[in-house]
Amino acid sequence: MTRPNIHSDHDANGVCLRISGALLTQSLEAVEQAFTQVKPQGGNVTLDLSGVEALDTGGAWLIADLAQRARAAGAQISYEGLSPAYSALLKTVAQSIPDEPVAVSERRSFADWVARVGARTVGAWNDTLSMLGFLGLTLHRLARTIVMPWRLRKAALVSQMEEVGFKAIPIVALMGFLIGVVLAFQGATQLKQFGAEIFVVELISISVLRELGILLTAIIVAGRSGSAFTASIGSMKVQEEIDAMRTLGLDPIEVLVIPRVVALLIMLPILGFIADIAALIGGGLMSWIDLGVSPGMFATRLKENTGIWQFAIGMIKAPFFALVIGVIACWQAMQVKGSAQSVGQRTTASVVQSIFMVIALDALFSIFFSVLEI
């Protein structure tokens, strides 16, 4: 096949553009610049395609783009020597070419900024109301499940408990151990200045049992399990499986959300307890190595100077953290709008919002227990 070529002739009727050769995508580079340099100024323009040996989508786009530019310049376009097969392809490609976008200068006035802030505020308020409604719906289904426990899908619950709890034990235990080591090391560095190394036991125990153990566990669960909840349910929404459930008379909240929330309510306190024990072991080991506080002395001071309420406060927070993580993750999944990009965006939003709410809730609990002087 010969190389593509374009040649223009002028006559009394206007301009005739003679296009010949094989207009295939792999050979368009040789003629693309020549097509671009053709700038019809109006009048009649005839496209003679009788010499075209082959035409694919790339070549049809080149011809259709030339015709579109000619029409935009006020020219009248006509075709000659166009076979029916090429005519259908050229028509399809021409219909698919978008109109030239109108350049719109971005408005940066103060009023536009206020409008954007207002729109985002309204959107955030609507999202808050939607999330509260979803929380109420989840609590209603949870209460109904407590009253009628046979409605709970036990196989799904056990599966979620394994994913949320059992498989998270290694990372939670390692995190707790390292936190205990860091607290002991940093605490020893500061307490040595005052000759009060022995108080590192209280520093580790109160910090871990009351705050850090359950807080960091909840953050890990939010990033690990919360994202998994959003991704799995969001993918089901993209594939219209949730709509299929509703068609079959199944409640997606009861089938998908309740087993995940109940699994979090059961497993998060257990994971928090494991993190506490691992942190105390790590802190005790570091205290023994760095300060010479024997394990027996560490255990004795832990028993004498750390009340049971320090541990209970951490465990009281766990169900609230679990409920927040589960509800936010599942609500974000229900907001997916039918694309893989939406699943990714909602998964990211789920993790960010869950971690933020866990930290905010922990701050509220700290204020509450401080007021109660516990």
Side-chain angles (χ1 to χ4, degrees), residues 7-18 42-48 76 78 80:
H7 178 70
S8 62
D9 293 329
H10 295 266
D11 54 26
N13 296 325
V15 179
C16 179
L17 300 176
R18 304 185 190 280
N44 296 323
V45 176
T46 302
L47 297 178
D48 184 359
Q76 299 293 325
S78 61
E80 288 184 0

Side-chain angles (χ1 to χ4, degrees), residues 286-358:
M286 193 65 191
S287 299
W288 188 18
I289 295 173
D290 194 32
L291 298 176
V293 179
S294 66
M297 177 64 70
F298 189 94
T300 300
R301 290 193 64 85
L302 177 65
K303 179 180 179 181
E304 292 178 352
N305 300 319
T306 305
I308 190 63
W309 262 109
Q310 307 300 334
F311 173 73
I313 288 173
M315 291 297 102
I316 288 172
K317 300 175 185 178
F320 295 93
F321 291 168
L323 185 63
V324 165
I325 294 170
V327 168
I328 290 178
C330 295
W331 177 80
Q332 286 287 355
M334 294 298 182
Q335 308 307 307
V336 172
K337 297 299 183 182
S339 68
Q341 182 180 6
S342 180
V343 174
Q345 291 173 344
R346 290 295 176 176
T347 302
T348 302
S350 168
V351 174
V352 173
Q353 289 184 2
S354 297
I355 293 176
F356 173 80
M357 289 303 300
V358 163

Side-chain angles (χ1 to χ4, degrees), residues 199-276:
F199 290 104
V200 73
V201 179
E202 287 79 358
L203 172 65
I204 296 170
S205 61
I206 295 176
S207 299
V208 168
L209 297 179
R210 188 182 181 105
E211 294 290 342
L212 292 181
I214 192 62
L215 177 62
L216 295 179
T217 301
I219 291 174
I220 287 179
V221 170
R224 182 183 178 277
S225 301
S227 60
F229 290 173
T230 305
S232 60
I233 299 177
S235 298
M236 295 178 67
K237 195 167 189 297
V238 169
Q239 298 170 2
E240 299 182 352
E241 295 180 34
I242 294 179
D243 295 333
M245 285 184 183
R246 294 192 176 99
T247 302
L248 295 173
L250 300 175
D251 183 6
I253 303 297
E254 188 173 306
V255 174
L256 300 175
V257 177
I258 294 302
R260 288 170 166 81
V261 172
V262 173
L264 280 175
L265 289 171
I266 295 173
M267 297 308 301
L268 189 58
I270 297 175
L271 291 175
F273 175 76
I274 293 173
D276 291 346

Side-chain angles (χ1 to χ4, degrees), residues 92-106:
T92 301
V93 172
Q95 291 175 347
S96 302
I97 295 179
D99 295 332
E100 289 294 330
V102 179
V104 179
S105 59
E106 185 178 356

